[in-house]
Amino acid sequence: MGITDRWKDYRPQKSVLAWTAVGASILTMVVGFTWGGWVTGGTARSMAEEAAQARHAELAATICVENFSSLSEARLEQQELVALSSYRQRQFVENAEWAMLPGGQKISRDAASLCAEQVAAIDPEELPAPITAETELNAIEPDSEIQ
């Protein structure tokens, strides 16, 4: 009697089938949660919240940098910011009026840190020149005459 004949004649008991199904289920879950990237609902929820907070901080930092870039005294503010330590830079941004979000909402700590990094990385030549008495006179009295 060969192995194929024995395989054909085998009639498993119900308990063996049940334990095989239980073992296969457990093995599937272990493999899925360990190597398959599966997560529980709570973990997925916390991951989604973290991602949302990170995206909110990025958006707020972008608004902060745009507000900063439109300042007439942006170069001077940047010089002050760069002279500070990273901890003080975050506080500087949090207290700055240009860091306020639309609706008067205060910027978060993560967004302030990100904004400070981005503002410090801006090339000063890309920022508007400080307004002085000379530049105001040039704006009022252009060099060419109107005919």
Side-chain angles (χ1 to χ4, degrees), residues 99-121:
M100 292 296 256
L101 298 176
Q105 185 181 5
K106 193 172 180 181
I107 196 167
S108 70
R109 294 181 125 203
D110 293 338
S113 295
L114 193 56
C115 179
E117 288 174 20
Q118 292 175 0
V119 165

Side-chain angles (χ1 to χ4, degrees), residues 2-138:
I3 193 156
T4 55
D5 292 333
R6 281 190 283 171
W7 184 258
K8 287 179 186 177
D9 292 339
Y10 179 69
R11 301 287 178 239
Q13 298 172 350
K14 290 180 184 177
S15 62
V16 172
L17 286 176
W19 284 111
T20 303
V22 169
S25 298
I26 291 172
L27 182 63
T28 300
M29 286 189 281
V30 167
V31 169
F33 283 106
T34 305
W35 298 291
W38 298 358
V39 292
T40 62
T43 302
R45 209 172 295 113
S46 66
M47 289 169 64
E49 288 173 5
E50 288 174 14
Q53 288 173 353
R55 296 296 174 242
H56 180 268
E58 288 176 16
L59 177 62
T62 301
I63 292 170
C64 173
V65 170
E66 287 298 316
N67 289 346
F68 173 81
S69 296
S70 66
L71 292 175
S72 59
E73 65 276 355
R75 287 185 186 183
L76 300 174
E77 292 270 338
Q78 185 190 37
Q79 289 173 354
E80 286 181 46
L81 179 78
V82 170
L84 300 172
S85 67
S86 62
Y87 173 75
R88 296 275 184 207
Q89 286 179 350
R90 181 186 53 79
Q91 287 181 331
F92 183 84
V93 171
E94 284 178 333
N95 295 328
E97 289 183 28
W98 46 265
M100 292 296 256
L101 298 176
Q105 185 181 5
K106 193 172 180 181
I107 196 167
S108 70
R109 294 181 125 203
D110 293 338
S113 295
L114 193 56
C115 179
E117 288 174 20
Q118 292 175 0
V119 165
I122 296 175
D123 182 14
E125 296 300 319
E126 294 177 11
L127 297 172
I131 296 178
T132 61
E134 184 179 311
T135 55
E136 286 181 0
L137 284 176
N138 288 342

